[in-house]
Amino acid sequence: MTLTPAPEPVVPRPGPEIRPTAVGPRPPESPHRPDAGPGPDTRRDAGPGPDTRRDAGPGPLLRRAVCEAALTGLLLFLIVTAVRWLVGPDPGAAAARPAVLGAVVGTLLALFMMSPPGRCSGGHLNPAVTLALWRLGVFPGREVVPYAVAQSAGSVFGVWCAALVWGPVTGRPPVRHASVRADPAWGDAAVLAAEAGALAGSTLMLAVLLASPGGRRVLPYAVGLTTALVIGVLGPLSGGSANPARQFGPALLAGDTGRLWVYVLGPAVGALLGPWLARRTGLRRPAR
């Protein structure tokens, strides 16, 4: 038998204490709102919206999707309500209706974005905006479809609730569940171009505002003002939707689906065109 001497004990030498650190890269942050962008943590300077820390698992996504559905449903309920009371027997007030409706919708959007559910989900309320934010690199692509489904479901539910509250009058002309209609002189191509242009312009505005904490602070107000202008100017011409969820529920319940594809495809095209223009003009760097 061979005896092996015990190893000499290791005596720690004086020096600075070294604490163990975690091994491996930190999990990436996943922004879930329009006012979250790449770069250092700017939560103290950022405007309304939820925290940008990473949310893992289906629970947080489900919570945000429910917030999107609820906010979109409430928005459509109030839009149908506004249209139901704005459309009256006086034909002389027809010229002012798009401007009034635009102001109402713009104000609602700003308030919803700053509300607790809006801070939780980001307050997109528009599948085209969700698509544009993904292409701008500030929203995860895997959540685009769940958000779009939630927004569309909320649209149908909100219009249905309005019909339940206000009765059959919401389904009859001229209300028609607040379904938008273009001027008869506007063909499908013209309406599609107007819808795409409105969303592309809105996306360029988002790209500029998302580039700085100061811009993110005024984002809800800028979105509300832009929406009011789109409805006020394009409402009598193309319909001024610029939001597939805005037209989806009303058109579905009114049976006015002939041009629904235009109001879905147009904003989607603008949502893809806007980020491309932003990168080409240097307003937004490509997502890394």
Side-chain angles (χ1 to χ4, degrees):
M1 181 189 307
T2 304
L3 298 177
T4 304
E8 182 179 357
V10 179
V11 180
R13 298 180 178 179
E17 180 184 3
I18 301 177
R19 299 181 182 272
T21 57
V23 179
R26 295 178 59 189
E29 291 188 354
S30 174
H32 299 289
R33 56 169 174 140
D35 57 348
D41 188 357
T42 56
R43 284 190 292 271
R44 287 181 299 176
D45 299 324
D51 199 337
T52 59
R53 287 173 293 188
R54 185 174 183 266
D55 291 318
L61 172 58
L62 178 60
R63 183 168 62 248
R64 294 191 306 274
V66 169
C67 288
E68 281 292 302
L71 288 175
T72 308
L74 182 57
L75 177 66
L76 265 296
F77 174 85
L78 294 175
I79 287 176
V80 175
T81 300
V83 172
R84 182 254 183 273
W85 293 106
L86 279 174
V87 176
D90 180 14
R97 289 168 190 159
V100 174
L101 184 61
V104 169
V105 176
T107 302
L108 289 174
L109 277 177
L111 292 175
F112 287 174
M113 289 179 68
M114 294 184 291
S115 68
R119 290 174 178 269
C120 176
S121 68
H124 301 184
L125 283 72
N126 185 338
V129 168
T130 301
L131 181 62
L133 292 172
W134 168 52
R135 296 307 301 155
L136 285 173
V138 296
F139 189 79
R142 66 182 179 277
E143 298 185 3
V144 171
V145 172
Y147 262 51
V149 171
Q151 292 153 353
S152 301
S155 172
V156 175
F157 183 71
V159 176
W160 178 80
C161 287
L164 197 64
V165 170
W166 301 117
V169 66
T170 61
R172 296 194 295 262
V175 180
R176 294 189 306 269
H177 297 292
S179 176
V180 300
R181 287 192 173 187
D183 187 278
W186 282 57
D188 290 345
V191 174
L192 192 147
E195 292 286 299
L199 215 293
S202 299
T203 304
L204 290 174
M205 178 200 68
L206 288 176
V208 172
L209 294 180
L210 289 172
S212 68
R216 290 192 288 272
R217 282 196 294 268
V218 301
L219 187 60
Y221 311 104
V223 170
L225 179 60
T226 302
T227 302
L229 290 175
V230 168
I231 296 175
V233 174
L234 292 180
L237 304 175
S238 68
S241 172
N243 182 349
R246 161 65 181 89
Q247 179 68 346
F248 183 72
L252 203 63
L253 271 71
D256 189 17
T257 58
R259 273 189 167 181
L260 179 59
W261 68 273
V262 177
Y263 291 102
V264 172
L265 181 61
V269 171
L272 298 176
L273 179 62
W276 179 81
L277 291 173
R279 287 191 291 268
R280 295 284 293 180
T281 57
L283 295 177
R284 188 72 174 177
R285 290 177 296 178
R288 291 179 290 179

